[in-house]
């Protein structure tokens, strides 16, 4: 057997999105790509903004020596200074380059944070539904996920989190705006979470970190704002990337920002920098570091995603689907009209509509639609969504 038992098990566990992806390839071949409506992947369909191409061209033509070599493992100082300056516009603590580590996307960032803080067997509390890869990331660093429920509107339930805290708890990992629900956590709930974590940090004499995974921070609608976790709790780290807001998912660029007021900042930062190297990344891609440094304020046209959200949500509502209207991201997470979300997703598949069962995100009885697709895909899928709901509801 070429792959280890453990990895084969992981391959099997991660099979939902993969299955849908493979199903999509088969169906596109059989029925023609224009007749298959693929909502399975969170791969942004918008091109990066024109400013990206302009800055990229400038950087490509910069022939100063040393721009493509190794660098400090945390990344170029100039880029980290720009990120710190950007964060200082909207956060209370004062960042310097020291607290910023450029990473290989948010995935790379989460892995260096977890590797830095986790001792074997320590627990990380994760509100569900959640981004499926977290389980694998935790396993990479011998962490143990403690999955807790959220409220009916997908907001965090601080009471449930408090009940899950033990002396083994090393972190709480949140994601807002949330994949797969589109929920944005409010200031009051984050303040409450911050004060609970402060209490237990004092009680146990060792920090419980709050890690906020925020690659969708700029993809928000209807004037909603995403509160800063730095303002509510000192033992906090933000992990983010430019994968979604600049549509640079394939370029693998992001960063970790550690709260400047964190108690063991020196050791945490030293750990992050070392882990950036020893996990095999060595540093974040050099060219992209220099490019995003000039694009921190930019994003794709968010109104385009809002239009897509409204197109799909208005139609689903009129067909009788039940869902919380997403406040951000490009996902919607409706309830399935039957308990068996896999059966419902299979029924959609029979209409050539590819979605992902909520069970794959710790949210059974739901399914995820990633609407970062063309308007044609949305429009083409609507009769199928209506037929399937009619079939179940009569
Ligand atoms: C919630 C969440 N976190 C992290 C990631 C990973 O992002 P990146 O591609 O920047 O590594 C994703 C990607 O879909 C995501 O949805």
């Amino acid at each position: 057997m070429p792959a280890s038992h453990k990895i084969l098990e992981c391959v099997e566990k991660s099979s939902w999105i993969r299955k849908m992806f493979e199903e999509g390839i088969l169906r596109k071949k059989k029925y023609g790509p224009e007749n298959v409506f693929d909502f399975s992947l969170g791969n942004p369909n918008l091109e990066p903004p024109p400013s990206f191409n302009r800055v990229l061209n400038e950087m490509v033509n910069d022939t100063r020596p040393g721009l493509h070599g190794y660098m400090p493992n945390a990344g170029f100082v100039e880029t980290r200074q720009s990120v710190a300056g950007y964060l200082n516009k909207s956060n209370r603590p004062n960042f310097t380059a020291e607290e910023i580590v450029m990473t290989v996307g948010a995935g790379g960032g989460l892995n260096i944070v977890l590797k830095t803080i986790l001792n074997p067997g320590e627990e990380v509390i994760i509100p569900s539904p959640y981004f499926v890869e977290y389980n694998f990331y935790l396993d990479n660093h011998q962490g143990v996920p403690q999955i807790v429920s959220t409220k009916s509107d997908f907001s965090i339930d601080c009471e449930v989190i408090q009940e899950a805290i033990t002396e083994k708890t090393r972190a709480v990992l949140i994601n807002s705006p949330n994949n797969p629900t589109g929920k944005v956590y409010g200031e009051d709930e984050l303040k409450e979470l911050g004060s609970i974590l402060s209490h237990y940090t004092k009680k146990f004499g060792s920090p419980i970190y709050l890690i906020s995974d925020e690659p969708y921070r700029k993809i928000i609608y209807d004037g909603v704002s995403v509160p800063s976790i730095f303002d509510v709790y000192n033992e906090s780290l933000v992990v983010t990337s430019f994968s979604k807001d600049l549509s640079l998912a394939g370029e693998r660029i992001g960063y970790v920002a550690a709260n400047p007021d964190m108690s063991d900042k020196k050791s945490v930062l030293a750990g992050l920098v070392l882990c950036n190297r020893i996990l095999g990344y060595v540093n974040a891609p050099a060219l992209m570091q220099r490019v995003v440094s000039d694009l921190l304020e930019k994003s794709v046209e968010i109104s385009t995603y809002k239009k897509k959200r409204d197109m799909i949500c208005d139609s689903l509502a009129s067909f009788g689907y039940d869902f919380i209207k997403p406040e951000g991201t490009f996902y919607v997470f409706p309830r399935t009209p039957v308990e068996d979300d896999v059966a419902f997703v299979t029924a959609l598949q029979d209409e050539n509509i590819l979605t992902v069962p909520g069970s794959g995100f710790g949210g059974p009885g739901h399914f995820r639609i990633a609407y970062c697709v063309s308007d044609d895909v949305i429009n083409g899928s609507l009769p199928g969504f209506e037929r399937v709901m009619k079939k179940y509801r009569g």
Side-chain angles (χ1 to χ4, degrees):
M1 189 179 293
S4 75
H5 296 296
K6 180 173 172 179
I7 285 300
L8 287 176
E9 216 177 274
C10 291
V11 169
E12 195 43 44
K13 272 197 220 152
S14 73
S15 63
W16 262 116
I17 294 184
R18 190 173 53 95
K19 258 189 211 153
M20 282 301 163
F21 182 67
E22 282 163 10
E23 185 66 33
I25 294 173
L26 287 179
R27 283 180 180 264
K28 280 172 195 167
K29 255 194 205 150
K30 192 166 171 193
Y31 300 103
E34 70 285 4
N35 297 314
V36 178
F37 313 108
D38 190 350
F39 297 95
S40 61
L41 283 185
N43 194 15
N45 75 310
L46 304 183
E47 286 305 308
S51 47
F52 169 75
N53 292 74
R54 181 179 47 74
V55 175
L56 179 63
N57 271 314
E58 279 167 23
M59 299 298 171
V60 164
N61 290 320
D62 188 344
T63 52
R64 282 175 298 159
L67 293 178
H68 304 287
Y70 288 126
M71 67 186 76
N73 301 127
F76 288 122
V77 175
E78 297 79 2
T79 302
R80 292 157 59 215
Q81 275 165 346
S82 303
V83 172
Y86 171 74
L87 291 176
N88 287 339
K89 291 182 187 165
S90 53
N91 292 280
R92 184 181 44 77
N94 190 45
F95 287 87
T96 64
E98 191 197 350
E99 288 99 15
I100 310 298
V101 178
M102 299 308 295
T103 62
V104 180
L110 286 162
N111 272 278
I112 66 168
V113 169
L114 295 170
K115 188 168 180 70
T116 297
I117 63 170
L118 286 174
N119 293 297
E122 284 182 336
E123 297 170 357
V124 176
I125 297 174
I126 303 170
S128 75
Y130 61 101
F131 178 53
V132 269
E133 306 295 272
Y134 291 164
N135 284 328
F136 297 123
Y137 296 169
L138 280 179
D139 180 67
N140 287 345
H141 312 296
Q142 300 174 65
V144 179
Q146 288 298 323
I147 309 298
V148 297
S149 58
T150 46
K151 295 184 178 168
S152 58
D153 66 350
F154 299 126
S155 55
I156 38 178
D157 189 334
C158 289
E159 231 173 80
V160 172
I161 291 179
Q162 185 163 7
E163 280 164 14
I165 295 175
T166 70
E167 290 205 41
K168 279 192 170 172
T169 306
R170 192 68 163 137
V172 174
L173 170 55
I174 59 172
N175 163 224
S176 170
N178 184 267
N179 174 10
T181 65
K183 183 75 191 165
V184 174
Y185 299 150
E187 193 165 356
D188 288 348
E189 53 193 319
L190 291 179
K191 272 189 183 153
E192 192 184 346
L193 180 59
S195 71
I196 291 170
L197 297 184
S198 294
H199 170 81
Y200 284 96
T201 288
K202 263 194 215 117
K203 182 174 167 183
F204 297 148
S206 158
I208 298 181
Y209 293 102
L210 178 58
I211 307 165
S212 188
D213 178 22
E214 303 186 353
Y216 302 94
R217 171 172 272 275
K218 287 187 187 159
I219 307 180
I220 43 173
Y221 313 119
D222 309 325
V224 97
S225 64
V226 184
S228 160
I229 59 152
F230 294 126
D231 295 347
V232 300
Y233 186 53
N234 285 354
E235 311 299 337
S236 53
L237 300 113
V238 163
V239 179
T240 190
S241 73
F242 303 89
S243 298
K244 313 290 177 172
D245 58 19
L246 285 177
S247 286
L248 296 182
E251 300 294 350
R252 312 307 304 136
I253 183 73
Y255 63 87
V256 173
N259 195 318
D261 298 331
M262 179 181 282
S263 55
D264 291 316
K265 193 172 80 174
K266 262 209 159 111
S267 77
V268 170
L269 286 169
L272 292 174
V273 174
L274 177 80
C275 293
N276 221 22
R277 185 177 99 211
I278 62 176
L279 282 171
Y281 320 128
V282 182
N283 54 251
L287 181 60
M288 282 303 134
Q289 286 193 46
R290 293 193 293 120
V291 172
V292 296
S293 181
D294 279 5
L295 298 172
L296 295 167
E297 307 278 352
K298 302 280 187 206
S299 70
V300 294
E301 199 54 66
I302 304 300
S303 60
T304 310
Y305 284 134
K306 180 185 180 304
K307 191 174 144 237
K308 292 178 193 298
R309 178 201 65 166
D310 292 343
M311 278 169 74
I312 191 116
C313 287
D314 291 352
S315 298
L316 290 181
S318 75
F319 304 151
Y321 284 83
D322 177 19
F323 56 89
I324 307 283
K325 195 170 182 182
E327 300 165 303
T329 72
F330 34 61
Y331 307 108
V332 57
F333 198 60
R335 273 181 198 290
T336 49
V338 278
E339 223 172 273
D340 187 347
D341 51 348
V342 175
F344 187 75
V345 161
T346 309
L348 287 172
Q349 203 174 288
D350 292 341
E351 291 280 354
N352 280 337
I353 298 173
L354 307 179
T355 60
V356 183
S359 321
F361 302 94
H366 295 78
F367 67 107
R368 190 192 76 172
I369 300 171
Y371 56 83
C372 44
V373 295
S374 74
D375 290 359
D376 287 347
V377 170
I378 296 177
N379 282 322
S381 70
L382 297 177
F385 273 117
E386 186 171 21
R387 275 192 294 273
V388 175
M389 185 48 104
K390 268 204 181 125
K391 187 173 137 196
Y392 279 91
R393 282 273 160 87

